[in-house]
Amino acid sequence: MSDFTHFNEQGRARMVDISAKQETERTATAVSSIQLTEEIYEKINAGTMKKGDVLAVAQVAGIMAAKNTSDWIPMCHPLQLKGTDITFDWNIADGCYELMITASVKTKGSTGVEMEALTAASAAALTVYDMCKAIDKGMVIGQTYLITKTGGKSGEYHRDIEGD
């Protein structure tokens, strides 16, 4: 069991000791998406959803989720984040309406912020669903994945995206 970083000598879960790791600037960017109807798209953009400004609430939810990732993911370390940003872009093609959600997180510390970025993007997508479900419960939350990561011993990661 000693080859597994998140298990102790008894084979039980543990949080990895990062006290000896060097503090560096660390960033991560993740993406999620949600497919929705034209009606929802129009109401979001017109600001006429009954629950309020969908993107503003989703943005705050994503930021709050990033700050509380260690409460959701058992082996994550609580981190003091230095910055979190959520942006939204629309992909509209062939009658499909997809909201792309990008979450960027930054800290200076001993461990990375990949999970915080992924959690932020996911929470923002879930919030959009929650605020729009009265109109359509058939919305689809899409793939969620890491785009980039910088800092730390493992170095940089940049996802190879087709067409880029």
Side-chain angles (χ1 to χ4, degrees), residues 93-157:
D94 301 324
C96 293
Y97 295 81
E98 181 178 42
L99 179 62
M100 300 301 297
I101 302 162
T102 304
S104 299
V105 181
K106 183 177 185 177
T107 195
K108 184 171 186 179
S110 302
T111 192
V113 287
E114 298 96 295
M115 294 307 301
E116 287 73 12
L118 289 161
T119 301
S122 299
L126 289 166
T127 300
V128 171
Y129 186 97
D130 178 55
M131 293 190 72
C132 300
K133 69 181 185 257
I135 295 173
D136 178 28
K137 292 175 180 46
M139 292 173 286
V140 176
I141 295 175
Q143 294 182 345
T144 302
Y145 51 91
L146 187 68
I147 297 285
T148 64
K149 171 251 183 236
T150 66
K153 188 172 81 174
S154 66
E156 295 193 5
Y157 168 81

Side-chain angles (χ1 to χ4, degrees), residues 48-78:
T48 57
M49 291 295 294
K50 288 186 178 182
K51 288 189 176 184
D53 186 336
V54 173
L55 300 184
V57 175
Q59 187 163 22
V60 172
I63 292 167
M64 290 176 63
K67 291 174 15 176
N68 291 291
T69 298
S70 65
D71 291 338
W72 292 20
I73 312 295
M75 300 305 168
C76 280
H77 293 83

Side-chain angles (χ1 to χ4, degrees), residues 81-102:
L81 302 182
K82 305 300 183 189
T84 303
D85 191 20
I86 312 289
T87 60
F88 303 97
D89 293 295
W90 291 101
N91 281 340
I92 303 169
D94 301 324
C96 293
Y97 295 81
E98 181 178 42
L99 179 62
M100 300 301 297
I101 302 162
T102 304

